Amino acid sequence: MSQLPRPAHTRRLRVAAVAAALLGLLLAPAAVPSAATPRLLAGPGSAPTVTAVASGGSAALTGYAIRSAAEVTDTAAAVSTPGYATTGWHRAGPRSTVLAALVADGTHPDPFYSTDQQRIPRRDFADPWWYRSDFTLPETAERTSLDFSGVISAADVYVNGRQVASAAEVAGVYTRHELDITDLVRAGTNTVAFRIQPNDPRKHLTLGWLDWLQPPPDANMGIVRDVLVRRRGPVSLHDAHVVTGLDVSSPGSGPAELTVKARVRNDSQEAATATVTVAISGTGIVLREDVTLRARETRTLVFAPDRHRQLRLQRPALWWPAGMGPQNLYGLHLTATVAGSRSDSVRHPFGIRDVKAPVDSAGARRYTVNGRPLLIRGAGWSADELLRWDTTAAEDRIKAALDAGLNTLRLEGHIEPDEFFDLADRHGILLLPGWECCDKWEGQVNPTGTGEKWNAADRLTARASMAAEAARLRDHPSVLSFLIGSDFAPDAQTERDYLDALRAADWPTPVVPAASAVTTALSGPSGMRMTGPYDWVPPSYWYDKREGGATGFNSETSAGPSIPTLDTLRRTLSPAELETLWQSPSAPQYHRSPSRTFNTLKLFNDALAHRYGAPRSLRDYVAKAQLGQYENVRAQFEAYARNATDSTDPSTGLVYWMFNSGWTSLHWQLVDRYLDQGGAYYGAKKANEPLHIQYSYDDRTVAVVNRRPDAVSGLTARVTLFGTDGTSLYDRTVRGLRVGGDGARTTAATVPAVVAASGTPDSTYLARLTLTDSAGREVSRNVYWLSTRPDVLDYDAGDWYHTPTTSYGNLTGLNSLAAATVTATARTTRHAGSLSTTTVTIRNTSSGNTPALLTDLHLVDGRDAPVLPVRWNDNQISLWPGESAVLTAHHRTGDPTDGALRVRVSGWNTPTTHITPASP
């Protein structure tokens, strides 16, 4: 998203390179550390150690000593020589920006609290920084190389006192480099040193933060992916991958064909004959081929079904997105042997699946996986602000996205390390990676962005970046498409370069020219639109098929701000900032955005005060914010789901902007930095239930949406309307409902307008919707707070980020809800390992007719701090007197030193209480 004004329906690197080095990037994939092992970029205990590299193997450098080049007077040759003293240098992990290391060692304060980031002087990062590491080799008989990407922004590279690459060659975070250092290494200790150049996303093809968050003072300069030291014999393997073809004429059950490709290179000075063996786990397939290569010759080997019938699988185990089927994976293992000895090997997983995304008659891109349709229910993914990588934290977030009913995450320009894609493959979340808007990546084409124009070297870097990422990502079945443009499509030459690189990599899924509504000569129409909004609009907005409403494929859209829970706010803002948050609705908020468009909460706060009443305290403000976020996020996902099967202008996909933030934020997030869950998250989770009953704000219809693969019949829907005093205004039950699978819907009822308008012309009322199955079990419950006075939008006065509301609905009647009494019992069961389940039975025991509205359960420790992460089967529920629900929470088993686990029960009109779970 751009920080500058832009035309409606649009939104939003300088690195030199040597052509031969940059275009030779389709090499063997980098080794992938186990996704089960957390990897921290920098932190206590991550001091660099000497990395031992065994014969015939590879190893990632385990850490660095780093220091500003302005403080180092010695020559590059001296710095990169073994034995050089690094007393007084900082320690960094194997993947670390400069600031990540300096925060970890206490040099600078935590930039995530209050305005502490402003205390970090930017001048400390105006000069290059040295990154220095040692590794040991047992001997030098094998060939040795450095294999890496992830340098921000560029680096001169030295080994054992000799320069092996310049910053003109090693430029751009996504370019991949393999540097042969065989003639420079020695048995024993060796040194590699990187002189990292400062980063500026306006000038370099790296990454920036746009209007997402306050950018880090170092602009993320550093090395953020592994640097591998590889040992090989005379013949090496590169660019190994599998091209899959699946027959989808019978969705989910057709045969598949596999084609295995790899480049075989003779790195020696004499001819060599290698035997290349291909093994595919799970199939019993083992293939061999001998190849004789001249000195320094490279040849591509192709194992195809026309020569190897084993590569035709009649009953393949397909990879499916979560909720559609299992995430089956195969393993590709290639080995090259010379004279009976292993020379090199490559191993990585892949999946068999088919993705198609034609543009329909309405101009919308419509995805199918393995022949079955799916509505893209996505959200924007953010990396950590300091680009620190932690596999466990990433997996927690992916699980949270799936738990919220999402099936897709969009990565705009922040394309995560290999482990992220491995996690997505294993968990079944689809991914939409692509380039970034508004900075250098769009310098050629975006008139409202800040990026500089490209030169010839930039074009080489861009093409090399595309080639490297295509080779890295193509075998991951979770990758749904690649977006080669964001707000703007690339110019014709760049588009041709990108498409050539993708074609050379055998890219298997649709390529989208931009996330906005554009058409290019080579790629055709994008089938996507980028109409926002990005700031507050009322729930009814989403049902109108214009602007950001539920039609077509909207690549980024949401109602903007997202106020986290009170627990998180107290970890984020100072006491003075907390007072400003609720008492000064127009005040700039540092934790919202650096953009002048989004640096306040004025639109959100005005709407909250008009619809719910002016906040009376911080707690009241947060409670109203959760109600407002719940109803708005729910409406967005529900509108797109309802309209997905329309005969005209159907909705085909949405990407909620965004799923998470890279730091502590008040802006664009379904979950907060600490993975606490509030109204926005539970609104999405409710809307995205597999079998779901929902109310439509535009025509008052009640629909049932079924995302399960199979049709469901024998359903009963009940719709009841209540006044805020508990009086029943309308009650209807509809039996014998049937709804098809894969996102089908059926209309159960229409609430009469006269009933909806009962009471005063300006009153608040409640709608309770329940859905039960043929056995009478409740399978979906949904409660709405509604107004007899509609929200009125002025579309003519709208701009690129919102549509003004000229008259607000009245939900202030919720303030007069009588207090409700809720009782609860809980039990915690510890499982093998470190996981536990807490089951809570909650009941509204009030004597009157008042519901307990949006009742929230939080697991807390003895200090009343949330136990996170946690996954509830449901939460923030509303119960009428006599009703009960059983809620379960899956969480990690806590440290006994944190005190007894408790369940905190609170709600809109219920007092806060705590209960202690029993043990089995």
Side-chain angles (χ1 to χ4, degrees):
M1 271 263 346
S2 76
Q3 301 176 28
L4 300 175
R6 61 171 183 153
H9 301 257
T10 60
R11 180 184 54 92
R12 347 204 244 259
L13 291 92
R14 154 176 173 124
V15 183
V18 171
L22 291 180
L23 297 182
L25 292 173
L26 291 176
L27 306 173
V32 179
S34 168
T37 305
R39 298 289 304 274
L40 295 176
L41 285 182
S46 64
T49 57
V50 177
T51 304
V53 188
S55 298
S58 64
L61 298 179
T62 55
Y64 302 92
I66 71 171
R67 192 167 189 176
S68 171
E71 300 174 352
V72 178
T73 58
D74 296 309
T75 65
V79 171
S80 60
T81 297
Y84 179 79
T86 57
T87 304
W89 289 44
H90 302 275
R91 300 304 185 224
R95 312 174 192 175
S96 180
T97 65
V98 174
L99 184 55
L102 301 187
V103 169
D105 71 10
T107 300
H108 291 310
D110 173 14
F112 284 44
Y113 177 73
S114 186
T115 57
D116 281 359
Q117 183 166 260
Q118 293 180 321
R119 296 164 50 197
I120 302 172
R122 294 181 182 273
R123 63 179 179 274
D124 290 355
F125 313 105
D127 296 296
W129 276 67
W130 279 109
Y131 275 57
R132 186 187 185 283
S133 188
D134 291 334
F135 62 92
T136 63
L137 303 178
E139 39 68 31
T140 60
E142 295 180 309
R143 303 204 66 81
T144 304
S145 63
L146 292 177
D147 189 348
F148 61 92
S149 62
V151 172
I152 303 177
S153 67
D156 302 301
V157 186
Y158 299 82
V159 172
N160 291 346
R162 295 276 299 278
Q163 185 170 4
V164 295
S166 70
E169 298 166 298
V170 179
V173 63
Y174 297 113
T175 57
R176 176 150 175 217
H177 311 274
E178 185 183 32
L179 306 178
D180 191 330
I181 57 174
T182 302
D183 295 338
L184 299 178
V185 296
R186 64 194 69 170
T189 302
N190 298 268
T191 299
V192 58
F194 296 83
R195 184 162 54 199
I196 306 292
Q197 300 299 311
N199 183 42
D200 184 341
R202 300 170 302 171
K203 300 178 179 181
H204 307 130
L205 286 166
T206 53
L207 55 81
W209 293 99
L210 311 173
D211 44 10
W212 299 7
L213 49 75
Q214 301 290 350
D218 71 338
N220 295 127
M221 68 183 300
I223 302 176
V224 297
R225 292 182 181 173
D226 285 341
V227 175
L228 295 169
V229 181
R230 290 192 181 276
R231 310 295 310 287
R232 298 183 176 106
V235 174
S236 55
L237 297 168
H238 306 271
D239 194 27
H241 62 286
V242 182
V243 180
T244 63
L246 178 65
D247 182 352
V248 295
S249 57
S250 179
S253 60
E257 292 188 343
L258 310 181
T259 300
V260 179
K261 296 184 179 182
R263 293 180 184 174
V264 187
R265 188 176 74 202
N266 181 6
D267 294 316
S268 71
Q269 300 287 352
E270 56 189 34
T273 298
T275 299
V276 177
T277 302
V278 174
I280 299 177
S281 65
T283 66
I285 294 174
V286 178
L287 308 172
R288 291 183 177 84
E289 187 167 330
D290 292 335
V291 55
T292 299
L293 302 168
R294 299 186 304 275
R296 301 295 185 182
E297 181 185 4
T298 299
R299 189 179 305 174
T300 298
L301 289 187
V302 179
F303 296 83
D306 58 351
R307 293 177 51 234
H308 304 280
R309 297 178 61 86
Q310 306 98 303
L311 294 172
R312 291 192 173 98
L313 305 182
Q314 294 304 311
R315 299 181 182 277
L318 301 184
W319 185 94
W320 291 96
M324 296 181 72
Q327 290 73 56
N328 296 304
L329 293 171
Y330 293 89
L332 173 66
H333 185 196
L334 270 71
T335 304
T337 58
V338 177
S341 298
R342 189 184 73 86
S343 183
D344 196 12
S345 65
V346 173
R347 185 192 300 266
H348 69 261
F350 69 95
I352 299 175
R353 57 89 176 90
D354 174 86
V355 176
K356 289 185 172 58
V359 176
D360 65 20
S361 59
R365 195 168 289 273
R366 186 185 293 269
Y367 280 91
T368 63
V369 174
N370 300 337
R372 285 171 51 190
L374 78 162
L375 171 70
I376 298 300
R377 305 185 306 276
W381 174 271
S382 176
D384 173 70
E385 185 198 23
L386 305 186
L387 302 186
R388 293 168 293 193
W389 175 255
D390 184 328
T391 300
T392 298
E395 185 168 26
D396 288 339
R397 282 163 173 74
I398 287 174
K399 288 179 177 179
L402 290 169
D403 183 60
L406 304 182
N407 58 23
T408 304
L409 295 169
R410 180 182 167 206
L411 286 70
E412 185 194 351
H414 296 65
I415 307 178
E416 294 278 38
D418 294 336
E419 294 96 327
F420 179 84
F421 293 88
D422 291 336
L423 289 170
D425 291 345
R426 289 198 290 111
H427 290 289
I429 192 86
L430 295 164
L431 302 175
L432 285 172
W435 303 128
E436 192 168 276
C437 92
C438 309
D439 54 19
K440 182 74 171 188
W441 286 98
E442 290 187 349
Q444 296 294 95
V445 293
N446 189 335
T448 64
T450 61
E452 293 183 353
K453 299 294 184 184
W454 292 7
N455 58 30
D458 294 324
R459 290 196 176 278
L460 290 173
T461 299
R463 179 178 172 124
S465 299
M466 185 74 265
E469 288 303 285
R472 187 172 74 98
L473 303 182
R474 63 192 161 194
D475 273 354
H476 287 283
S478 57
V479 177
L480 192 64
S481 276
F482 199 96
L483 279 67
I484 57 175
S486 181
D487 292 25
F488 289 82
D491 61 40
Q493 180 181 342
T494 305
E495 182 184 18
R496 187 177 301 109
D497 288 344
Y498 285 159
L499 294 178
D500 286 348
L502 287 158
R503 193 177 302 111
D506 293 319
W507 184 258
T509 59
V511 178
V512 181
S516 58
V518 299
T519 298
T520 63
L522 295 177
S523 302
S526 68
M528 294 186 178
R529 59 193 180 94
M530 190 184 285
T531 51
Y534 300 97
D535 213 320
W536 191 87
V537 290
S540 59
Y541 171 96
W542 303 107
Y543 285 86
D544 198 349
K545 289 188 176 184
R546 57 189 294 183
E547 302 302 333
T551 180
F553 194 117
N554 198 338
S555 66
E556 44 183 73
T557 181
S558 76
S562 185
I563 305 302
T565 64
L566 189 55
D567 296 296
T568 292
L569 283 171
R570 286 171 170 159
R571 297 173 70 174
T572 302
L573 304 179
S574 68
E577 290 168 327
L578 289 172
E579 289 301 298
T580 299
L581 181 66
W582 74 273
Q583 291 185 346
S584 303
S586 299
Q589 296 289 340
Y590 184 70
H591 282 262
R592 183 156 189 220
S593 172
S595 164
R596 291 184 179 180
T597 303
F598 300 120
N599 70 345
T600 78
L601 293 165
K602 178 174 172 50
L603 292 175
F604 177 83
N605 288 341
D606 284 352
L608 212 63
H610 279 97
R611 300 175 87 243
Y612 289 97
R616 301 183 300 271
S617 65
L618 174 64
R619 186 177 295 276
D620 183 57
Y621 172 79
V622 174
K624 288 172 175 171
Q626 304 313 311
L627 280 172
Q629 289 160 187
Y630 188 108
E631 63 163 346
N632 216 322
V633 174
R634 175 180 59 182
Q636 178 177 347
F637 282 101
E638 287 182 338
Y640 274 81
R642 190 202 68 175
N643 290 357
T645 53
D646 284 2
S647 58
T648 59
D649 295 332
S651 55
T652 62
L654 77 154
V655 176
Y656 185 92
W657 210 245
M658 298 175 66
F659 174 67
N660 65 313
S661 177
W663 80 327
T664 45
S665 180
L666 310 174
H667 187 46
W668 290 343
Q669 57 187 355
L670 291 180
V671 294
D672 65 35
R673 171 69 188 174
Y674 304 105
L675 274 183
D676 205 355
Q677 300 153 344
Y681 180 86
Y682 287 118
K685 180 177 173 66
K686 177 56 62 178
N688 292 323
E689 289 176 323
L691 184 60
H692 179 65
I693 188 168
Q694 63 184 62
Y695 172 82
S696 303
Y697 283 81
D698 58 341
D699 59 11
R700 304 180 312 283
T701 57
V702 174
V704 178
V705 177
N706 180 21
R707 297 185 180 86
R708 297 171 177 173
D710 300 322
V712 182
S713 58
L715 298 172
T716 299
R718 185 180 179 187
V719 184
T720 313
L721 304 184
F722 298 88
T724 54
D725 61 356
T727 303
S728 177
L729 306 175
Y730 173 83
D731 195 352
R732 184 183 177 190
T733 300
V734 181
R735 295 181 173 84
L737 291 171
R738 182 187 185 279
V739 59
D742 280 339
R745 82 157 195 265
T746 188
T747 299
T750 300
V751 178
V754 65
V755 174
S758 63
T760 69
D762 191 20
S763 62
T764 307
Y765 63 103
L766 301 169
R768 181 185 64 194
L769 282 55
T770 59
L771 186 70
T772 53
D773 63 15
S774 57
R777 292 183 295 262
E778 186 174 282
V779 292
S780 180
R781 161 182 288 258
N782 210 349
V783 174
Y784 296 78
W785 37 103
L786 302 167
S787 172
T788 57
R789 182 174 70 190
D791 296 287
V792 179
L793 291 153
D794 184 357
Y795 281 101
D796 291 337
D799 50 36
W800 66 269
Y801 64 94
H802 89 303
T803 298
T805 302
T806 58
S807 178
Y808 295 93
N810 177 26
L811 299 173
T812 58
L814 297 179
N815 296 314
S816 64
L817 280 179
T821 303
V822 169
T823 60
T825 58
R827 179 174 294 271
T828 296
T829 302
R830 294 194 175 196
H831 307 293
S834 60
L835 299 179
S836 295
T837 299
T838 296
T839 302
V840 182
T841 301
I842 186 169
R843 178 181 295 274
N844 184 339
T845 54
S846 302
S847 58
N849 298 318
T850 303
L853 184 65
L854 218 67
T855 303
D856 178 87
L857 305 183
H858 256 73
L859 292 183
V860 296
D861 62 19
R863 298 164 298 181
D864 204 31
V867 174
L868 300 170
V870 62
R871 285 182 293 132
W872 290 91
N873 68 321
D874 198 3
N875 207 332
Q876 297 201 343
I877 62 171
S878 298
L879 299 173
W880 267 254
E883 291 183 330
S884 63
V886 178
L887 307 182
T888 57
H890 300 284
H891 54 96
R892 295 190 180 101
T893 301
D895 184 342
T897 60
D898 290 340
L901 180 73
R902 297 186 298 168
V903 179
R904 184 173 68 204
V905 183
S906 61
W908 175 257
N909 59 326
T910 56
T912 299
T913 59
H914 293 78
I915 60 172
T916 300
S919 300

